[in-house]
Structures are given as structure tokens and as C-alpha cells.
Amino acid sequence: MTPLLELLEFAVTRLRTPVVRGLSFTLEPGEVLTLVGRNGAGKSSLLEGIAGLHATSGELRCGGRPLAGAAIPERLRAGVVLCAEGRSLFPEMSLRENLLLGGYLAPRDAALRRAEELLARFPLLAERSAQKAGSLSGGEQQLLAVCRALMSGPRVLLLDEPTGGLAPLYRGAIAALVREVVAEGERSVILVDDNLDFALDLADRVLALAGGREVFRLTRSDRPSADLILRELLAAERRATPQDEGRTNREEA
Amino acid sequence: MSGLEELPRDRRWHQRLTGPPWQLRPGVSRRGRRLLLPLLLAAVLAAAELAAPDSFLTDLLGTACIAGIMVLSWTVFCGPTREISFGHAFFIGSAGYLAGFLQARSSWNPWSALLAGVGCGLLLGAFVALFTARHRGLYFSMVTMALQLTLYRALFLRSDLLGGEEGIVGVRSLAATRTGIYATVAAALVAACIVVDAFLCSRTGLLLGATGENEQLARSLGVRVALLRLRGLTLAGALAGLGGGLYVLTQGQANAELASEEISIRTLLLGTIGGLWSVPGALLSVFALQGVQAALFRLTRQDALAYTGLLLGLVLLLPRGLLPLRPRWPRQRSCPRPTTLGPDHDAPGLMLSDLGVRFGGVKALDGVSLEVVRGESIGLIGPNGAGKTTLLSVIAGVRRAEIGEVRWGGRALGAMDEAQRARLGIRKTHQQVVYFPQLTLDEHLAVAQACWQGGEFEVDAAALQRLAACDGAAGEAAPLERLPPSRARLAEIAMALAAPPELLLLDEPFAALDREEVEAVCEAIQALQRRGVTMVIVEHRLRELFRLVERVVVMDHGRIISRQPAAQVLDDPVVREAYGLREREGNAG
């Protein structure tokens, strides 16, 4: 089976600083890949690099189609959709308009139908569909951002902190949405979330990053837990520390 | 907590923070180094005169010195605030005309006329500051352009009293010789350079820069934005007046061109090409481009096209300017006098009475009444859209309640805005991270301390160190815009530690933080609690929240639905239903 997403020696540079280096992995259809690592490890930058927001090098393919160097609209047409950290809504537009903008590449009828489906699913959003997005509460904005990402029918959905500011009720709803996206075995999700219990619960595979590099991988059979991840990250840092100390000592000398 | 305490700390941060407690005084340690630029400038200008006295070169440099003063006057305000003044010729032309008129028509001494020109620029700067108190960005640019055009077209071009298009001629020069004129303008430029640099590196310059970076955050720290802009524009006007006065009193005439849009655009271009907020950049652009323009003119006699092409090329190739060196505000290691400045525990705390806010047809707050005693920390939880952030915004003065009253320390806060409440010691952190993009963590702390209203106190260095250690070596000197968003959240908490408020409203302080960062923030909050800071904490990560508070208030649909001790709140079936907890989820966060 052709992997849905392939990265080979993929690197991301942000504001002239390399933030992801030499990363290679594939993403199979119907799979949820959870990225873990400390803040600053390069998780969000990786998602943004795949979405085309930063300069990248290396190979990137979606369904066998090369996307390295492709413009953002081309990536969107290929089905690579990012729900970025920080929501990035249009505050002066209504909730419904924000939602429809997420589906602007799809035929209008399909976009309207999809918007109605999502609003029916989240009564909290339906109640406020005419309200300006900027006047919604933080959690409502977050929910809207996730729904907007779903409007274009993504093949590879990149979710960055989708539960930030969400109460448990809606965290559960987001988890159900993610499961639904991958249920038919045609679409995949790459997930970053600091709520490790939430992120690991959904994960088929886990990829850990530190300093922009891969440090370890786990699969569902490894029974990844928050404690295991932290232990492994700590061990990886310890393995890296002696070299750093050596370097620091040389600098001090 | 698992073995996170064992995680290696960055060595350099550790070395930097194990000294005396932090004290930040903008720019003091670099005062000596800062004199290097004016000294170098003075030396170069003097050397030019010695090498080629009374020559074309010194004439050119003299003109460049006057242009330099005009560009510095642009940089001193537009650099830190990021405003684009499109009408700088309004100050330059007015001051020049006044100086020329007083000298030529009223026979004033040239030096007195120059002083009058500076005073005129100063007053016009104050006028523009008051006139544009509520204008930002494009609107500020439009107002300045309109003022300049009105003055130029309606007064200088048409007034017979001011000589019409020809202007005022026969103005007596400030000095009798070319050397004297050159020495005067060179000394004026060096003085202007010292003044501008001192202003930008001062507390006022720091806060003005912070305002330009993020006015919302600056206001939430209590910065008096209008006053800062008044100071900045007054100085800019005075310097532009100096430039205009010098031009007229050295060239012997004041013509309408001095107040034209060409002068405004030229000043704007040179200020931008040098590098916004950069004194060395402004000087470099003036001298380098003046030289290039003269050379082009000598070579081709038709310099306009080539010069315009050069400027466009520079803007495209170097968008941040030739020398983008903004002022720096280093941290000082001086040990403050340790005093205990905890809040007055006997004073009344926070009292909310029947608050109501509507967004269209939605009741965001519906009769909310709450009391928090001094030194107490309460948790505020509830489902999304319950009104938690709106409540914090009403307390902080970001949003007005349509009905009801907020009292702090027994005082009704009424119509006080966010900055006024911040000066009373009320501060709110932001759910969506906000920060000063170009400033480093140290400079964020410098801004917070520059806003500090109380006396000296001992910063909890250990808690600050723990927050800073999350930053790692990469973030040491980097502006926050280059770091992950979580650093901005840590910076906001660090600012509260560096200059503790009396009432701190924390809106989801743990959002998007990893475990180590959450621990560091918890430690910082506990340090503030030990100082007696009153807190209202909104947070969905309940496990961490319950470690910090004893009492929890639950909201839903704009109302308070429950008030319980933290240990019992999740046993309340009403809370569980509203909050979407099906079974006991102590780790709901």
C-alpha cells in the first residue's frame, strides 16, 4: 500500500534557524501519528513545514505526489490541512463565515452541507453561528478552528494543540472527531498535544522529537503512556548530555 | 512528579542566575559604550574638516548633518512605536519658517531664532500627540500627512507674508564662515545623537518600544501610553525643529520646499532604510546615501532615477534596514534593598456584585457575585463559553460590565480602564499568548519592572530561575518571536514574578505547556502566593489547579453554579454534568 505521507531527510528552517533536521517517516492511511517532545523540540515547526509555512528541504510526498517546494494551495488540494496552534481565526467574521472559508476549495454546496453537519454536531457552535469569531470564548474558538480544518475534507490532517483551552466535554468530542476522520482507513492524522493522556489515547504510533531530531518511536503494542514517554525523553536527554557537557567544558577551557 | 526535577538545567542560565536577585535598570551598564557612537561621529566629522577645510566634502557633510538631525527626529518616535509619520515636514517646515521669519523680518539674533524654532517643533509635537492620542497605524500616518499638506498648500505656498513660493530670503546665518557653519551643524548632530540614544535607552524609551511592540500587553502592565507618546513626539518635534531651524539659518532662506511632502518622504525613507529603531542605522543611511546621491549627480547629472532605483533595491534586499541595531536593555546585577512589601491583609479584597454582560443575544455574565479575600487564591472552572474569561476581563477593565460593580480594596473601580487598574495592582495574563515580539525574556522583565509602582523588593530568584531554565540556551538572547509560543506564556508569568501585582488574574496559565514548564509555572504561582498575592485562576487542567487553590468557583452559561472546596467540587453532580465529567476524573486536566 502506498503511504499517505512520506518524509525523507525532511528539514525545516524557521527565521533562518534550523528547527527540524533530517526527519524520515511514513504515515499510512487510517493512522494517527502522535508527535511528542518538550516544547521547542520542533513538533509545531514540523507540522508547519509540512503545511508549507516555512522553508524546508528533503523530500515530502502525499499519496506519492511530490510536495516539497509546493505552494500552500497545492498542498491543500493534495489534502494536507493544518489546524495551527493559536487558532488563527478571522475575528471580524462570523463563526459560519470562518467555517465556510475553511472549505473554499470545495464546491459551494458541499461546503455548505459540511458546515451544517459540523454545526449540528456541536450545538455550542450552532447557537453562536452568527456571532463574530473574535467574541467567542477561547474554547469555542479552538473548537471552531478544528472544525474549519475539517471543512476541506483533509487526507492528512495536521492537528497542533487541538485541545488547548477545551473543557473535558469538548476534548472528548475532538477525540471522537479524530477517530471518525481515520475510521474509514483513507485519511490520517498527525497530532501534537501537550495533554499527553489525550494524545496517546488516540495514537497508533508515537514519534518523539528533541532538538528537531527523532529520538525514539513507539507503537501501540509498546503501550505508550505519559510516564513511559517522559522516562524515554529523560533517558534520551541523558544520552545527549555527556557530549554537551564535554563541549561546554571545552568552551570554558 | 516523575524524575523531572532531575532534568539537566542549562548551565549558562544557572551561572547567570545564581548571583544576587534580579534587578533591571534599563541601559545603565552600557552608558559608557553608548558614547562610542557620538564620539566616533565627532571624530569623523572633525577629521573631514581638518583634511579638507571649506571644501565640497565639508559642505556635503554639513548638509548631511542637518538631514541626520531630521532623520533622528523621525527615528526617535517612529522607531520604537512603529508608527509611520508621513508628515515630518510639518515640524521641519514650521520651525524653519518661524526661525527665518523671526531673524529676517523681526531681526532676532540667529541663535534666539533657532531656539524659537526648536520650541515651535516641540509645541507642534505635543499638539500632534494630543491630536492623535487615539490614532494608530494608518490613521496616524493620514493625520500627519494631512497636517503637513494643509500647512504647505494653504499657508507656505500662498501667504504673501511668508514670501509665497520663494519663501523668506536674506536670513542671517548662524556663523560667518563655512567652518563655523560646519562646526555648528556637526556639533548639533552629535548632541542630537546623544539625546536620541539616551532617550531610546531610558525607561521611557523602553516602555515606548514595548508599546510599539504590543500596546495591549503594555496597557495591561499599567503603561501610560498617551503620556509616553506625548514625550516621544515632543522630542521628535523639537529635534525636527532643530533640523529645520538649522537648515534655514545656514542656507540663508526658508522656502516652501522645506515643508513639502518631498522632505517628509525623504526623511521617512532614510529612517526606514537605516533600520527602524536604530540610531547607527539612521546615521549610516544619511551619510552613505547622501554621498551616493552626490556621486551619482556628479557622474550623470541626472540622479533621480538611479537614486530611486537604489532606494528600492535597498528596501527589497534589506527589509530590516542597513543596520538594524535596536537599543538593548541589559539586566543589572545590583542587589536591591530587601524589603517586604506584601499586600495589606486587613484591606478588603475583591468584591463582585451582580455583574452582567451580553454579547448580542447571549448572556456572557448573568448576575455574577463573588468575594475573594486578600491573599486568597481561587480556581474558576466551567465548560467552554461559561463566561470565565469574560469575568476576568471585566475585573481587569478590558471589558465593561453593563450592570453590577467591581470593587478592589474597598474602592469601586467603575470606569477605570485596564492600565489604570494595572497601576492599582490588578493584572491579567492572557489566554492567547501575547508578548513583545522583538524583545528578549530579560527585556520583558525590564518592561515589567519599569512599570513597577512599589518600592524595592526581593525577587524570588529561585522561581524565576526555574522559569528561565525552561528556556534553554537557545532562548538566551533571542527575541521571543523566534522562540516557541510556550516561552511567551512563561515570560508573562516571569513578568508577574519580577514585578508582582496585588491581584493576579491568570487565564489558563498552563495551556500548551509541557510538564516541566507546568511545574515551573506552579512554582512561580506558589512564590507569588507566599508574597500574599490574591489570585483568580482559570484553568482546565484540574489536577494542577487543585494543587494551587483551596476553593473553586464553577460557572456555566454566565452564572456561578457552585462554590466548593477544591477537594469536593468534582463530587457535585451539577458540576459534573456541566463540566462534562461522566465519572470521577481527578485528572480531568
Side-chain angles (χ1 to χ4, degrees):
Chain A
M1 191 170 17
T2 313
L4 200 48
L5 194 73
E6 285 176 89
L7 279 78
L8 189 62
E9 288 298 312
F10 192 72
V12 181
T13 304
R14 190 174 181 170
L15 294 168
R16 296 183 190 165
T17 309
V19 283
V20 175
R21 304 149 203 253
L23 214 56
S24 301
F25 66 85
T26 57
L27 187 67
E28 303 299 330
E31 191 179 32
V32 178
L33 173 69
T34 291
L35 301 178
V36 297
R38 288 181 172 204
N39 273 333
K43 309 185 295 289
S44 296
S45 299
L46 173 60
L47 297 192
E48 288 164 4
I50 294 172
L53 297 182
H54 302 304
T56 61
S57 62
E59 283 188 34
L60 173 69
R61 292 172 191 277
C62 181
R65 177 178 170 182
L67 284 183
I72 294 173
E74 197 180 328
R75 293 177 199 233
L76 280 171
R77 283 190 200 97
V80 178
V81 178
L82 170 69
C83 175
E85 184 180 5
R87 298 156 197 171
S88 303
L89 297 173
F90 303 101
E92 290 300 312
M93 290 185 172
S94 72
L95 185 154
R96 182 184 291 275
E97 287 164 340
N98 268 276
L99 213 47
L100 289 173
L101 273 170
Y104 81 102
L105 285 176
R108 185 166 170 76
D109 288 348
L112 284 169
R113 201 168 49 245
R114 185 75 183 127
E116 291 311 320
E117 283 170 17
L118 286 165
L119 288 175
R121 182 169 194 139
F122 294 103
L124 180 73
L125 296 187
E127 278 172 27
R128 291 157 164 71
S129 63
Q131 206 172 312
K132 279 185 183 177
S135 70
L136 299 173
S137 78
E140 289 160 357
Q141 289 187 15
Q142 184 61 54
L143 201 53
L144 172 58
V146 175
C147 289
R148 189 181 59 180
L150 291 171
M151 281 292 295
S152 57
R155 294 176 71 199
V156 178
L157 179 61
L158 311 169
L159 285 176
D160 196 356
E161 302 287 349
T163 68
L166 284 185
L169 184 66
Y170 287 100
R171 280 206 290 269
I174 295 288
L177 263 182
V178 171
R179 287 196 184 96
E180 192 180 294
V181 166
V182 296
E184 292 162 15
E186 291 175 0
R187 298 185 284 179
S188 304
V189 173
I190 304 184
L191 177 64
V192 172
D193 203 295
D194 277 314
N195 186 332
L196 274 182
D197 295 331
F198 167 86
L200 295 177
D201 190 39
L202 288 168
D204 295 308
R205 276 193 300 148
V206 174
L207 178 65
L209 300 180
R213 297 180 195 280
E214 176 184 339
V215 284
F216 62 85
R217 294 181 191 208
L218 298 171
T219 62
R220 195 175 273 279
S221 60
D222 295 317
R223 297 177 181 278
S225 67
D227 284 340
L228 174 65
I229 299 286
L230 288 168
R231 257 201 321 274
E232 291 290 332
L233 279 174
L234 188 59
E237 285 200 15
R238 280 189 179 138
R239 283 196 296 276
T241 303
Q243 294 166 10
D244 291 345
E245 281 186 353
R247 194 181 64 214
T248 313
N249 291 339
R250 280 198 299 279
E251 282 169 4
E252 282 172 359
Chain B
M1 185 65 204
S2 61
L4 282 175
E5 285 74 10
E6 302 164 38
L7 286 174
R9 297 275 171 268
D10 179 76
R11 281 169 159 264
R12 278 183 287 174
W13 269 113
H14 181 71
Q15 285 164 2
R16 293 176 70 203
L17 294 171
T18 46
W22 285 21
Q23 169 103 22
L24 295 132
R25 286 196 185 130
V28 178
S29 73
R30 296 196 175 182
R31 195 168 286 161
R33 207 185 308 172
R34 285 191 349 241
L35 281 174
L36 276 177
L37 179 67
L39 286 175
L40 182 68
L41 180 66
V44 169
L45 292 173
E49 172 64 17
L50 289 173
D54 295 346
S55 63
F56 172 71
L57 175 69
T58 51
D59 285 349
L60 197 66
L61 285 175
T63 314
C65 285
I66 296 175
I69 294 169
M70 294 175 185
V71 174
L72 283 178
S73 80
W74 193 88
T75 298
V76 77
F77 180 75
C78 298
T81 59
R82 312 295 192 286
E83 298 283 19
I84 302 294
S85 166
F86 257 105
H88 229 55
F90 173 67
F91 307 116
I92 295 168
S94 306
Y97 260 90
L98 181 71
F101 184 87
L102 291 175
Q103 203 295 308
R105 305 276 164 85
S106 304
S107 304
W108 277 39
N109 176 298
W111 289 99
S112 305
L114 180 65
L115 272 181
V118 173
C120 169
L122 186 145
L123 289 175
L124 289 177
F127 166 72
V128 172
L130 296 173
F131 198 67
T132 59
R134 292 180 183 278
H135 297 85
R136 300 287 184 274
L138 181 61
Y139 300 101
F140 177 83
S141 301
M142 285 166 65
V143 169
T144 51
M145 189 162 59
L147 287 171
Q148 180 261 317
L149 284 173
T150 308
L151 203 71
Y152 174 58
R153 308 244 177 234
L155 186 65
F156 294 145
L157 277 182
R158 296 191 178 177
S159 167
D160 291 336
L161 181 69
L162 298 175
E165 278 189 54
E166 275 194 16
I168 300 168
V169 293
V171 180
R172 206 171 79 191
S173 182
L174 281 165
T177 61
R178 283 169 82 183
T179 304
I181 290 174
Y182 177 72
T184 305
V185 294
L189 177 64
V190 172
C193 181
I194 292 171
V195 169
V196 169
D197 193 53
F199 177 82
L200 290 178
C201 291
S202 70
R203 177 180 176 276
T204 303
L206 167 68
L207 293 181
L208 197 61
T211 305
E213 288 278 288
N214 189 330
E215 188 169 329
Q216 178 200 6
L217 179 56
R219 282 186 185 280
S220 75
L221 292 167
V223 172
R224 296 171 199 266
V225 177
L227 183 65
L228 289 174
R229 288 172 68 93
L230 176 69
R231 286 180 188 164
L233 262 173
T234 305
L235 179 58
L239 285 168
L242 176 66
L246 278 174
Y247 181 85
V248 170
L249 292 163
T250 54
Q251 302 294 316
Q253 62 167 342
N255 56 32
E257 208 175 293
L258 193 60
S260 67
E261 48 268 39
E262 193 186 329
I263 293 287
S264 291
I265 293 169
R266 196 183 168 83
T267 311
L268 184 158
L269 270 176
L270 290 174
T272 313
I273 285 170
L276 276 173
W277 211 358
S278 167
V279 174
L283 295 174
L284 179 67
S285 72
V286 169
F287 283 100
L289 294 176
Q290 189 88 3
V292 169
Q293 191 181 16
L296 281 172
F297 187 70
R298 281 200 153 185
L299 282 173
T300 64
R301 297 278 158 194
Q302 188 52 259
D303 63 330
L305 198 61
Y307 188 62
T308 309
L310 174 72
L311 295 184
L312 272 175
L314 283 174
V315 169
L316 292 174
L317 290 173
L318 298 167
R320 297 180 62 224
L322 288 171
L323 211 55
L325 296 175
R326 67 168 177 80
R328 301 277 168 179
W329 293 272
R331 190 177 66 221
Q332 294 300 297
R333 275 286 181 82
S334 67
C335 189
R337 187 175 66 250
T339 53
T340 307
L341 278 181
D344 179 0
H345 288 272
D346 296 329
L350 177 69
M351 180 85 80
L352 310 177
S353 317
D354 199 26
L355 293 176
V357 172
R358 271 178 179 274
F359 295 140
V362 180
K363 282 184 178 174
L365 293 182
D366 185 8
V368 173
S369 298
L370 178 66
E371 188 177 356
V372 186
V373 297
R374 284 273 177 157
E376 185 189 12
S377 295
I378 67 158
L380 182 58
I381 66 171
N384 295 119
K388 307 179 295 294
T389 298
T390 307
L391 182 61
L392 294 196
S393 300
V394 167
I395 299 169
V398 179
R399 191 179 290 284
R400 292 270 175 83
E402 285 142 23
I403 54 166
E405 188 181 52
V406 179
R407 298 180 79 85
W408 168 248
R411 182 176 177 181
L413 301 182
M416 281 185 188
D417 65 19
E418 190 180 14
Q420 287 169 314
R421 293 184 195 202
R423 290 195 288 276
L424 281 182
I426 301 171
R427 196 181 310 157
K428 175 181 170 295
T429 66
H430 299 80
Q431 189 182 52
Q432 286 279 70
V433 287
V434 292
Y435 54 100
F436 304 120
Q438 286 192 44
L439 301 192
T440 62
L441 174 64
D442 277 359
E443 288 168 335
H444 277 72
L445 300 180
V447 172
Q449 292 209 328
C451 298
W452 173 247
Q453 303 279 315
E456 291 192 342
F457 68 98
E458 197 160 4
V459 175
D460 193 318
L464 206 48
Q465 178 181 328
R466 185 80 196 266
L467 279 177
C470 297
D471 205 357
E476 194 169 293
L480 283 199
E481 67 182 353
R482 289 177 172 266
L483 300 176
S486 61
R487 305 294 187 255
R489 196 173 292 286
L490 297 181
E492 212 175 5
I493 304 290
M495 282 195 287
L497 267 179
E502 290 190 27
L503 170 62
L504 182 59
L505 309 165
L506 292 162
D507 198 353
E508 298 194 33
F510 304 131
L513 298 186
D514 65 27
R515 281 203 185 184
E516 190 202 1
E517 290 165 340
V518 166
E519 286 305 308
V521 170
C522 278
E523 204 171 294
I525 291 173
Q526 284 160 346
L528 288 165
Q529 286 172 329
R530 286 193 294 276
R531 275 187 59 83
V533 176
T534 311
M535 289 192 214
V536 181
I537 309 174
V538 170
E539 184 53 61
H540 288 302
R541 291 165 86 154
L542 303 184
R543 185 167 44 194
E544 285 83 0
L545 177 68
F546 292 169
R547 283 167 53 193
L548 298 168
V549 300
E550 290 185 356
R551 189 161 70 99
V552 175
V553 172
V554 189
M555 290 184 71
D556 192 16
H557 290 102
R559 290 172 168 274
I560 291 178
I561 58 168
S562 180
R563 300 162 204 252
Q564 305 268 358
Q568 294 162 20
V569 70
L570 291 183
D571 296 331
D572 185 340
V574 177
V575 174
R576 298 183 66 74
E577 188 187 343
Y579 213 62
L581 298 171
R582 284 179 295 281
E583 67 273 353
R584 185 79 165 94
E585 291 179 46
N587 61 348

